Amino acid sequence: MWEAWYQQKLLDDKIDIKIGQQSLDNEFMDNLNGGYFVNTMFGWPMLPSADLPGGGPAYPLSALGARVRAHPTDSITVLAGIFNGSPTSSNFGDPQMRNPSGTSFPLNGGALAIAELQFAYPSSGTLVQANEAEPLARTYKIGFWYDTESFADLRTDNSGLSLADPASSGIAATHRGDYAFYAAADQMIYRFASEPDRTINVFIRPMFTPLQDRNLINFSVNGGLTMHEPFFGRDDDTFGLGGGFARVSDSVTSLSRDMVLYNPGVYSPVRRNETFLEATYQYQVAPWWQIQPDIQYVFNPGAGIVNPNDPTQRVKNEAVLGLRTNITF
């Protein structure tokens, strides 16, 4: 099971409340134009995927909680929610294996609080004068999350030694709480006068946390460009070109250097960052059938990790070719 919730609207739809099992990526931290891409980092981003316990409450998992949404004006929306701090009862191993059915409903993972401010234009109340061109659509968002769970230090043990040091206890130091800031923007930059549905759009979504001792990723960003109806007559097709970047925290980079120092006979690449690019095309074959060829290229996968098939080398850059199809019944 993915989600199960109850939603109630109040004050002529100015406020609505949702309570139950929820997935944050449906409403928070999202880019509309990022949804055309295949790489999962255009959906639930790299930073919370790597830093939140269990990867955070995002597809295919979710968490119990409550969310409030308010519309103080036609263009402004405020979102806030509090959820269980992890979608699984235990933060060890693969979270999807820990909660394969989505029905464990844990309440022991601390609390994850999140808030987001959104601005969208044009809104439902925007008036366009006669003979005036329709404004270029845009949506801007800023947000913040805080998790009360305890987090393990990624470099030092409970005595202050490096975890790579042979004298280390092997028990990581712990830190209480974690947080990050983020922003997201979708901006239409051009509309063809002869065909209003033929548009070019750009998007971007940066995220950052200053807490580098407990987080694998301290900065990530993804963005790109989409074009609707890239060829005349292909009204329902979309072309997209995008990419992403993730930087590992200083503690992770330092630990990898410590491993080189304390284990000179073992190949240990120093981890720094990963970058990916993606080109995709959604082709509408029929009203009920869509196919999507896709190509991705990843630079420095895993930010620099050992190749399990050749422990003397790191995993090299990778190209990924794919074809996705959607059939609507």
Side-chain angles (χ1 to χ4, degrees), residues 36-49:
Y36 294 103
F37 293 83
V38 174
N39 191 297
T40 57
M41 294 302 100
F42 285 111
W44 189 238
M46 183 67 237
L47 189 147
S49 296

Side-chain angles (χ1 to χ4, degrees), residues 19-305:
I19 300 174
Q21 186 85 346
Q22 302 176 54
S23 187
L24 267 65
D25 54 332
N26 270 340
E27 297 182 309
F28 293 89
M29 304 190 206
D30 64 314
N31 272 122
L32 176 63
N33 286 284
Y36 294 103
F37 293 83
V38 174
N39 191 297
T40 57
M41 294 302 100
F42 285 111
W44 189 238
M46 183 67 237
L47 189 147
S49 296
D51 295 347
L52 283 174
Y59 180 83
L61 298 177
S62 53
L64 290 170
R67 187 272 292 146
V68 177
R69 176 167 53 195
H71 303 281
T73 71
D74 289 336
S75 293
I76 295 176
T77 300
V78 180
L79 281 170
I82 186 164
F83 305 87
N84 189 63
S86 173
T88 63
S89 57
S90 174
N91 295 321
F92 297 97
D94 186 337
Q96 294 183 45
M97 295 298 292
R98 292 283 182 178
N99 188 10
S101 64
T103 56
S104 66
F105 307 117
L107 289 173
N108 63 338
L112 171 62
I114 185 170
E116 182 173 295
L117 177 65
Q118 304 176 354
F119 172 82
Y121 182 85
S123 63
S124 58
T126 301
L127 298 177
V128 179
Q129 301 296 325
N131 300 320
E132 181 182 0
E134 185 177 350
L136 299 177
R138 69 209 71 167
T139 302
Y140 307 132
K141 305 174 183 179
I142 55 172
F144 166 86
W145 60 257
Y146 180 83
D147 196 301
T148 66
E149 185 66 280
S150 292
F151 294 80
D153 194 286
L154 298 182
R155 186 190 184 193
T156 61
D157 68 8
N158 54 4
S159 65
L161 294 177
S162 169
L163 290 166
D165 190 329
S168 169
S169 66
I171 302 173
T174 59
H175 306 281
R176 191 70 176 178
D178 197 5
Y179 62 88
F181 305 91
Y182 65 90
D186 287 88
Q187 174 72 59
M188 184 185 298
I189 59 173
Y190 189 76
R191 176 187 287 112
F192 289 79
S194 59
E195 294 193 43
D197 292 333
R198 195 175 191 220
T199 62
I200 299 175
N201 308 268
V202 293
F203 68 97
I204 191 169
R205 180 177 55 182
M207 301 192 173
F208 167 74
T209 175
L211 303 179
Q212 300 201 46
D213 53 4
R214 68 205 71 179
N215 290 303
L216 174 61
I217 302 296
N218 81 302
F219 174 77
S220 71
V221 62
N222 57 267
L225 175 147
T226 63
M227 182 175 183
H228 300 288
E229 194 182 345
F231 302 103
F232 287 108
R234 299 299 311 167
D235 297 8
D236 297 318
D237 289 4
T238 302
F239 167 75
L241 182 64
F245 172 84
R247 181 187 182 275
V248 301
S249 63
D250 290 344
S251 60
V252 174
T253 300
S254 296
L255 179 63
S256 61
R257 289 197 179 103
D258 293 345
M259 293 176 68
V260 174
L261 174 65
Y262 291 111
N263 300 278
V266 178
Y267 176 68
S268 299
V270 176
R271 303 185 69 185
R272 291 189 174 88
N273 56 68
E274 176 188 287
T275 303
F276 73 88
L277 299 174
E278 178 177 351
T280 195
Y281 190 99
Q282 290 187 348
Y283 183 85
Q284 200 71 36
V285 181
W288 52 271
W289 182 23
Q290 179 190 85
I291 60 174
Q292 184 174 358
D294 185 88
I295 181 170
Q296 301 179 40
Y297 194 84
V298 184
F299 300 89
N300 201 28
I305 55 176

